Amino acid sequence: MDDSSSSYYLHNSDHPGLLLVSTPLSGSNFNSWHRAILLALTAKNKLVFIDGTLLRPASTELLFSSWNRCNSMVISWLLNSVTKEIADSLLYFTNAYEAWANLKTRFSQANGPRIFQLKQQISSLCQGSMDVNGYYTKLKWLWDELLDYAPLPSCTCGALRHIHSHCEQDHVLQFLIGLNDSYS
């Protein structure tokens, strides 16, 4: 496929050894890895191979070979974005969607100890020797990771706007509490 907007398009720089993320999945870093790999696959227009929206066509269909080639490429990218031990367990998947589902099932479990650790780090974080930007960046990273473990529910009634506003107010207060006394 020559249409760069097509999910079947592979650029000349796309190859099986390509590293899509800088830090491989080791198990404990699933949330940040998950976010990074989703961004990379979205940028490559290949998210449809792991989210189940582009299913394998019948082997008699014209798009079968293109689907098979792109699916194999996505599996290769997944193999390159995890540790060797995890890659060994994915090696025999023939469908990127199934490999992705396996990773999500194994590693996306709610992590009570990590949530506890994040909340503890947030509550004890102070600016200290960091500049204001560094302090805020660290705090924001902790908030974002915590939100990834416990996302806000979706609703259409408008209540979510109030919950979001309350969370933002808590974040502002937490930020101010941790600033050095010179900002009093």
Side-chain angles (χ1 to χ4, degrees), residues 20-164:
L20 294 183
V21 295
S22 58
T23 306
L25 173 65
S26 61
S28 62
N29 64 337
F30 178 78
N31 282 20
S32 57
W33 175 86
H34 178 262
R35 177 82 174 125
I37 203 80
L38 288 178
L39 289 170
L41 289 174
T42 299
K44 296 222 166 260
N45 201 16
K46 300 294 182 272
L47 195 59
V48 294
F49 286 90
I50 63 164
D51 70 6
T53 56
L54 185 61
L55 300 176
R56 178 183 183 202
S59 60
T60 56
E61 291 185 39
L62 254 127
L63 289 175
F64 175 76
S65 63
S66 294
W67 181 91
N68 198 39
R69 183 177 46 130
C70 290
N71 177 69
S72 294
M73 188 70 72
V74 172
I75 291 173
S76 295
W77 292 341
L78 288 176
L79 290 171
N80 291 330
S81 70
V82 299
T83 61
K84 182 180 177 350
E85 294 77 23
I86 297 171
D88 288 345
S89 71
L90 298 176
L91 195 56
Y92 294 101
F93 280 98
T94 57
N95 186 308
Y97 172 73
E98 292 169 357
W100 181 255
N102 177 272
L103 289 171
K104 283 183 74 173
T105 300
R106 287 168 52 195
F107 298 109
S108 73
Q109 305 301 318
N111 193 334
R114 180 63 182 148
I115 292 169
F116 172 80
Q117 185 181 43
L118 288 168
K119 288 188 175 200
Q120 190 175 45
Q121 286 177 322
I122 289 168
S123 67
S124 65
L125 185 65
C126 293
Q127 180 185 359
S129 62
M130 292 183 275
D131 64 6
V132 174
N133 188 38
Y135 165 62
Y136 176 76
T137 300
K138 174 73 173 169
L139 201 49
K140 173 118 176 57
W141 178 78
L142 292 168
W143 289 330
D144 289 345
E145 187 175 350
L146 183 60
L147 184 62
D148 199 39
Y149 280 107
L152 294 174
S154 59
C155 78
T156 57
C157 68
L160 187 58
R161 190 172 49 240
H162 297 293
I163 294 171
H164 186 65

